[in-house]
């Protein structure tokens, strides 16, 4: 029983991390169809933003306030990644809409540049970010099962980000404009919507969410310039498995990969488990190429 | 009100429209006719700005709009009901109508004007359905309501009766007549059905091979003209 609950919790925890790194990509790749290989580097930027915020608090704030740096770091990471995403969209991405292969190459190049930039500014070795003390330890249930607070915090953070994204996309005026532009750009323009601004803001929001993911990753381990490269494949896998263009698909994609990964790793070994997960995904996409949640309506075309 | 001067437009290498000159006065219903493939939709798109003009000019209320983006034209009061309706399929009917307010011309922002929706009593009953799930006729009514929500002074209607059941065609005829009776909105109507345009139009242009081949009022539109330019 204990083992089952612990494995289930681990699975959900892995899923939540996968979901967090994939949510931003669900916007830039899922909605905007930009194959954004620099997504991992935007995560890395978010992580370094958290690192910077930690250092700022260490240098300029009283020691008693240090624990709160992380609360400030989350919006700060979002803001930094948002601004860099906006810049990236304005100078590069907007020339590459509808050209997936070009955007793949160009964003990959941008990713390499950003990695080098991080190496120049922060140095090549990994840096550690000290987690706030209120996230140390864990919650004990059923006598001896410990659920670490950090993992619980990440799950809660994902839930909040997901809810905010849902509200923004489906309930706000800006979200309505965004969906209109993604569904029929020409007609949206004819109604007076500024498609340029919608594109830029949408890409920036996707980037900002990648920043939040990076901030959360500082809780799990040390961060380095090549942090993003570890996560970019997983992020694409989640979005593609879930079904491109659907937020709920991304959620199920992350849950599917996270849970099966934990399960297979428990049954076999870490590396064999990963192989089995990949095999399952390949087999599934052969069966359903459009992913878990496919868009269906009679007049999509 | 709307003045198109010596317009030339086309796609890629091919030129579709040559030297098209056309005018619409306030409150007037002007009909654009012609066989398939003579350039009616191309002209509509050029007026809306979806297609860039190669030569010539499009001006509206005395302002030259030739180089302006479609959104700018919408903000100045041109409403567009495109061929194929172009409803946003994944958005609800209500959201589709709300997007008509994006041009920011309604008196009250964020509120759909009563006049836009009153002509289509069936729409509010399906506000929560997705636009893509509606039938062709319902989508056409939705496209009208969306265009009217921006309180336009001028409507571009591109084949609004294409592929639509007769009873809805009658509804659309009534809507066009009531817009005409209000006198607030001019209409440029591209349409194939001679019977339909004769029942609503004030002035007529016939396109042939990308040029204006004939123009005149209702009384001048006789059988000779029809035989020469419109019968297949």
């Amino acid at each position: 029983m204990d083992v089952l609950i612990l494995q289930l919790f681990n699975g959900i925890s892995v899923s939540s991390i996968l979901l967090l790194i994939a949510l931003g990509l669900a916007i830039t790749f899922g909605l905007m169809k930009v194959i954004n290989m620099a997504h991992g580097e935007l995560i890395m930027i978010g992580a370094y933003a958290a690192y910077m915020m930690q250092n700022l608090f260490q240098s300029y704030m009283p020691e008693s306030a240090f624990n709160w740096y992380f609360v400030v770091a989350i919006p700060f990471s979002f803001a930094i990644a948002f601004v860099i995403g906006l810049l990236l969209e304005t100078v590069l991405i907007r020339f590459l809409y509808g050209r997936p292969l070009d955007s793949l190459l160009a964003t990959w190049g941008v990713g390499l540049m950003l990695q080098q930039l991080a190496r120049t500014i922060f140095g090549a070795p990994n840096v550690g970010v000290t987690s706030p003390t209120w996230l140390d330890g864990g919650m004990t249930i059923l006598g001896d099962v410990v659920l670490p607070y950090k993992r619980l915090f990440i799950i809660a953070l994902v839930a909040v980000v997901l809810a905010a994204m849902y509200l923004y996309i489906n309930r706000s005026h800006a979200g309505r404009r965004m969906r209109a532009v993604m569904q029929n750009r020409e007609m949206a323009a004819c109604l007076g919507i500024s498609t340029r601004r919608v594109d830029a803001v949408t890409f920036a929001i996707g980037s900002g969410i990648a920043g939040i993911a990076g901030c959360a990753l500082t809780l799990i381990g040390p961060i380095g310039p090549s942090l993003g490269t570890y996560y970019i494949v997983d992020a694409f896998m989640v979005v593609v498995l879930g079904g491109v263009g659907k937020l709920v698909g991304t959620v199920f994609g992350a849950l599917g990969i996270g849970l099966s990964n934990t399960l297979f790793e428990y049954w076999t070994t870490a590396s064999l488990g990963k192989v089995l997960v990949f095999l399952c995904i390949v087999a599934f996409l052969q069966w359903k190429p459009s992913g878990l949640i496919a868009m269906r309506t009679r007049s999509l075309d | 009100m709307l003045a198109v001067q010596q317009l030339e437009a086309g796609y890629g290498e091919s030129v579709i429209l040559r030297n098209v000159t056309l005018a619409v006065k306030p409150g007037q219903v002007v009909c654009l006719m012609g066989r398939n493939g003579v350039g009616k939709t191309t002209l509509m798109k050029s007026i809306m700005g979806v297609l860039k003009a190669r030569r010539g000019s499009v001006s509206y209320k005395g302002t030259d709009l030739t180089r302006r983006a479609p959104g700018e034209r919408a903000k100045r009061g041109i409403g567009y009901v495109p061929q194929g309706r172009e409803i946003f399929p994944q958005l609800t009917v209500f959201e589709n109508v709300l997007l008509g307010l994006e041009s920011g011309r309604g008196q009250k922002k964020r509120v759909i004007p009563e006049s836009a929706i009153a002509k289509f009593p069936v729409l509010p009953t399906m506000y929560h359905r997705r636009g893509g799930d509606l039938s062709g006729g319902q989508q056409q009514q939705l496209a009208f309501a969306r265009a009217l929500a921006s309180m336009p002074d001028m409507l571009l209607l591109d084949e609004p009766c294409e592929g639509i059941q007769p009873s809805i065609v009658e509804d659309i005829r009534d809507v066009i007549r009531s817009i005409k009776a209000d006198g607030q909105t001019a209409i440029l109507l591209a349409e194939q059905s001679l019977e339909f345009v004769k029942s609503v139009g004030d002035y007529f242009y016939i396109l042939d091979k990308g040029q204006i081949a004939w123009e005149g009022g209702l009384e001048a539109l006789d059988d000779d003209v029809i035989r020469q330019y419109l019968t297949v």
Side-chain angles (χ1 to χ4, degrees):
Chain A
M1 189 62 191
D2 288 359
V3 175
L4 187 74
I5 290 177
L6 197 63
Q7 290 305 321
L8 195 66
F9 178 76
N10 280 343
I12 291 173
S13 175
V14 172
S15 305
S16 68
I17 294 165
L18 284 173
L19 184 55
L20 198 53
I21 59 172
L23 273 178
L25 198 68
I27 293 182
T28 52
F29 174 56
L31 281 176
M32 304 182 74
K33 312 286 186 289
V34 176
I35 301 186
N36 181 16
M37 296 301 280
H39 181 74
E41 278 60 48
L42 289 160
I43 294 175
M44 181 265 292
I45 285 168
Y48 273 110
Y51 172 70
M52 276 159 61
M53 190 47 72
Q54 171 203 252
N55 290 354
L56 276 175
F57 265 67
Q58 269 170 350
S59 312
Y60 299 106
M61 297 289 277
E63 205 162 318
S64 56
F66 176 74
N67 266 335
W68 296 106
Y69 89 87
F70 200 72
V71 179
V72 186
I74 294 174
F76 182 64
S77 298
F78 179 85
I80 296 280
F82 185 94
V83 169
I84 290 180
L86 200 63
L87 199 70
L88 188 59
E89 203 276 347
T90 317
V91 299
L92 180 71
I93 306 288
R94 68 175 165 134
F95 302 109
L96 300 173
Y97 289 123
R99 294 160 63 186
L101 290 179
D102 297 342
S103 73
L104 188 151
L105 271 179
T107 52
W108 194 47
V110 169
L112 291 179
M113 282 160 63
L114 289 173
Q115 279 183 38
Q116 192 54 46
L117 191 69
R119 260 183 221 112
T120 312
I121 299 175
F122 299 101
N126 285 358
V127 295
V129 177
T130 316
S131 307
T133 49
W134 46 271
L135 284 176
D136 290 339
M139 194 170 74
T140 312
I141 56 164
L142 295 172
D144 52 354
V145 182
V146 178
L147 311 182
Y149 285 133
K150 283 179 188 167
R151 300 281 175 154
L152 288 170
F153 179 80
I154 291 178
I155 294 173
L157 181 66
V158 172
V160 170
V161 171
L162 197 62
M165 271 175 72
Y166 177 83
L167 288 178
Y168 177 81
I169 294 175
N170 289 304
R171 292 284 178 270
S172 75
H173 299 304
R176 185 166 61 230
R177 279 194 286 273
M178 179 174 129
R179 282 179 294 150
V181 171
M182 298 313 150
Q183 283 174 37
N184 191 336
R185 180 169 297 272
E186 194 171 285
M187 191 62 221
C190 288
L191 290 171
I193 298 172
S194 166
T195 56
R196 272 300 311 131
R197 191 185 308 159
V198 169
D199 283 337
V201 169
T202 307
F203 191 86
I205 287 175
S207 306
I209 290 169
I212 293 182
C215 184
L217 287 179
T218 61
L219 295 176
I220 300 173
I223 55 168
S226 53
L227 176 78
T229 50
Y230 303 127
Y231 290 101
I232 183 77
V233 176
D234 284 338
F236 270 102
M237 220 154 59
V238 167
V239 176
V240 172
L241 178 68
V244 173
K246 279 294 204 185
L247 208 52
V248 60
T250 309
V251 176
F252 284 121
L255 273 174
I257 294 179
L259 287 174
S260 55
N261 201 4
T262 318
L263 206 64
F264 286 136
E265 283 187 11
Y266 177 66
W267 281 338
T268 60
T269 62
S271 46
L272 190 58
K274 197 93 186 167
V275 172
L276 286 172
V277 172
F278 273 119
L279 277 177
C280 287
I281 292 172
V282 170
F284 182 82
L285 289 177
Q286 289 292 320
W287 176 46
K288 276 189 188 296
S290 53
L292 283 166
I293 309 283
M295 285 219 247
R296 51 193 148 70
T297 176
R298 76 189 203 202
S299 59
L300 196 60
D301 36 22
Chain B
M1 185 167 212
L2 177 79
V4 177
Q5 299 281 345
Q6 280 137 24
L7 187 77
E8 184 179 310
Y11 307 91
E13 292 287 298
S14 59
V15 178
I16 307 292
L17 295 176
R18 281 188 193 85
N19 201 19
V20 171
T21 298
L22 164 155
V24 181
K25 297 191 185 81
Q28 206 180 26
V29 177
V30 173
C31 301
L32 187 63
M33 293 182 293
R35 301 184 182 103
N36 279 331
V38 295
K40 296 190 294 294
T41 295
T42 308
L43 178 53
M44 287 298 206
K45 284 185 172 174
S46 311
I47 294 172
M48 197 61 216
V50 177
L51 206 62
K52 288 202 170 60
R54 300 265 180 84
R55 244 177 243 127
S57 70
V58 176
S59 66
Y60 183 66
K61 293 187 199 162
T63 317
D64 183 28
L65 293 179
T66 317
R67 299 276 162 251
R68 301 295 176 89
E72 176 76 9
R73 303 179 195 213
K75 289 189 168 77
R76 286 173 190 268
I78 305 182
Y80 182 38
V81 180
Q83 190 176 33
R85 306 175 277 274
E86 306 290 336
I87 293 301
F88 300 100
Q90 301 285 322
L91 266 58
T92 66
V93 171
F94 187 57
E95 288 174 323
N96 266 284
V97 182
L98 282 177
L99 285 169
L101 303 175
E102 289 293 337
S103 65
R105 291 180 49 80
Q107 288 94 352
K108 274 185 266 173
K109 273 199 163 180
R110 312 293 181 214
V111 181
I112 298 170
E114 189 62 33
S115 56
I117 216 72
K119 297 182 174 75
F120 308 99
V122 71
L123 283 182
T125 65
M126 34 194 193
Y127 265 170
H128 297 289
R129 290 171 64 187
R130 283 193 304 182
D133 294 342
L134 265 51
S135 74
Q138 291 166 336
Q139 286 191 352
Q140 188 67 63
Q141 294 178 318
L142 177 53
F144 260 84
R146 183 178 62 185
L148 288 172
S150 68
M151 311 282 269
D153 319 308
M154 158 121 212
L155 264 181
L156 303 178
L157 307 177
D158 197 352
E159 306 225 6
C161 302
E162 187 192 32
I164 291 190
Q165 67 180 43
S167 68
I168 308 274
V169 170
E170 283 315 305
D171 289 349
I172 288 171
R173 193 200 305 263
D174 291 343
V175 168
I176 294 175
R177 278 184 177 147
S178 80
I179 294 171
K180 189 177 170 181
D182 292 345
Q184 304 293 318
T185 312
I187 293 176
L188 179 61
L189 169 70
E191 182 54 57
Q192 298 258 16
S193 160
L194 192 64
E195 182 267 335
F196 190 90
V197 294
K198 273 185 162 175
S199 68
V200 296
D202 296 317
Y203 198 78
F204 303 85
Y205 288 92
I206 298 180
L207 268 179
D208 198 21
K209 293 174 191 147
Q211 289 175 312
I212 299 287
W214 183 88
E215 60 173 286
L218 182 59
E219 65 292 336
L221 188 65
D222 56 20
D223 290 346
D224 285 345
V225 175
I226 292 163
R227 200 175 307 118
Q228 192 178 351
Y229 298 112
L230 296 176
T231 46
V232 181

